[in-house]
Amino acid sequence: MKESLHDYMKVGIVHFMADPAAMTGEGEIAASVARIAADEFFDAIEVTHVKDPAERAAVAEVVSSAGMTVGFGGQPLILRGKLNLNSTDDAERAAAIEALKGGIDQAYELGAGKFGFLSGPNPPADQRERALGLLADSIVQLGRYAASKGDLTLSLETFDDSTDKCALIGTNRLACELAREVRKAIPSFGLMVDLSHLPMQGETVHQALSETAEFINHAHIGNCVIRDPSDPAYGDKHPAFSHPKGENNVPQVREFLRGLLDIGYLRPDPAERPIVAFEVQPLGAGESTQTVVADAKRVLREAWRTL
């Protein structure tokens, strides 16, 4: 591709994965965000809950002054809190909805335009149809709450249903079935497709993107290890692309970008550039936020250069 990749996309980064300590919502998060915001390679950043109101205000000031597009990741709230939006227990599901409404409130405080989240656990086969209906109802409640406060867009990330997170929405086909139902009430609702999840989902890039073309509103690129369960990076850990046992590197990122172009998610000089965000984290000795982010940038540039 001769044009700059930045002509086609806003390159983003999942801050709380690049700096995993931020998942707790505590500590000097604004300073960590500022280090990424100072890198003009990134147009967008995804942050998560920040417990201290003063620190949250500081994060909002940093991303605003840097002119970044902001997304809010509700995934840590769900995973760390063991929340279940498709629970058959009414009290448990209500608690999950209320917790994510709190996340939506923070998303607005942080200036976010998109709210990412995932489904609850994958139940036994005989309960999945009911769980899918309950999940749809939960999302509609969240969508209506978000709409009552502004124009925040919801984006459900598809995960694995049997390898690591074992989520209900672990195939992109099922995600689209859900999206069709939710969009009857929340037309702006969309899906987030993550390259790092595709090997765990057992889907090719073509399968996943052709399936979700109608609904995709966010894209992540990352890596995973699935062939060696004894490896510390096994599962949904998002290791650096340089990991020797990883499934994704330049060829797979290039294929993903080509797929995003084929379905029209990426296009030359769009009125509003869509986001493609890195989701990588430091895991091994000698790795840091800086090294894994630099590796990811090199991989994206090379994948784009060789399209």
Side-chain angles (χ1 to χ4, degrees):
M1 302 292 293
K2 293 183 179 180
E3 301 94 337
S4 166
L5 60 88
H6 294 279
D7 292 335
Y8 284 71
M9 68 187 80
K10 289 184 178 180
V11 180
I13 187 162
V14 180
H15 167 259
F16 53 87
M17 190 62 70
D19 184 359
M23 289 189 200
T24 65
E26 300 175 337
E28 297 180 352
I29 297 175
S32 176
V33 168
R35 286 190 287 272
I36 289 176
D39 186 346
E40 63 181 15
F41 187 84
F42 295 111
D43 302 299
I45 189 168
E46 294 171 45
V47 295
T48 189
H49 67 123
V50 183
K51 292 182 179 179
D52 179 63
E55 188 71 15
R56 190 159 63 246
V59 172
E61 184 176 356
V62 167
V63 293
S64 176
S65 66
M68 300 189 85
T69 296
V70 182
F72 185 96
Q75 298 92 333
L77 289 172
I78 292 173
L79 295 170
R80 294 176 65 86
K82 301 187 185 306
L83 305 178
N84 187 355
L85 289 170
N86 44 265
S87 176
T88 55
D89 181 289
D90 291 344
E92 185 178 24
R93 187 165 74 97
I97 292 170
E98 286 307 306
L100 287 191
K101 284 181 178 179
I104 288 170
D105 291 341
Q106 287 204 21
Y108 276 111
E109 288 183 53
L110 291 162
K114 197 173 293 174
F115 184 89
F117 63 107
L118 72 150
S119 70
N122 192 18
D126 61 352
Q127 298 179 26
R128 283 180 196 146
E129 184 174 352
R130 184 183 178 201
L132 195 63
L134 292 170
L135 177 60
D137 180 76
S138 296
I139 295 172
V140 168
Q141 290 189 50
L142 292 172
R144 287 174 173 159
Y145 181 77
S148 73
K149 302 172 72 68
D151 57 0
L152 187 70
T153 299
L154 302 189
S155 184
L156 179 80
E157 186 171 11
T158 67
F159 275 71
D160 68 276
D161 59 13
S162 60
T163 302
D164 189 339
K165 296 301 189 287
C166 302
L168 170 61
I169 303 301
T171 69
N172 288 292
R173 177 200 57 77
L174 190 60
C176 292
E177 182 180 327
L178 172 73
R180 288 188 187 93
E181 185 62 29
V182 171
R183 278 195 173 179
K184 293 176 182 177
I186 311 295
S188 64
F189 173 74
L191 300 176
M192 183 187 306
V193 179
D194 189 330
L195 173 63
S196 62
H197 295 163
L198 300 190
M200 290 182 282
Q201 293 170 323
E203 298 184 33
T204 66
V205 166
H206 176 74
Q207 288 170 334
L209 294 181
S210 60
E211 189 81 59
T212 58
E214 180 184 352
F215 302 106
I216 183 172
N217 67 358
H218 201 81
H220 279 170
I221 51 177
N223 194 13
C224 70
V225 172
I226 60 171
R227 303 185 193 190
D228 183 2
S230 68
D231 193 288
Y234 177 80
D236 189 36
K237 301 271 193 322
H238 297 276
F241 288 104
S242 58
H243 193 289
K245 297 179 184 177
E247 295 292 317
N248 297 327
N249 209 307
V250 171
Q252 291 75 27
V253 173
R254 181 171 57 238
E255 182 184 6
F256 193 62
L257 294 174
R258 172 53 61 193
L260 292 173
L261 286 163
D262 288 344
I263 65 170
Y265 181 79
L266 297 180
R267 62 188 69 190
D269 297 320
E272 177 67 24
R273 287 176 296 154
I275 293 171
V276 177
F278 293 123
E279 192 168 11
V280 292
Q281 73 166 321
L283 293 171
E287 291 188 349
S288 66
T289 297
Q290 291 74 22
T291 59
V292 298
V293 169
D295 170 58
K297 289 162 66 176
R298 292 182 182 109
V299 167
L300 179 59
R301 280 196 295 256
E302 183 65 10
W304 187 261
R305 186 188 72 82
T306 55
L307 264 177

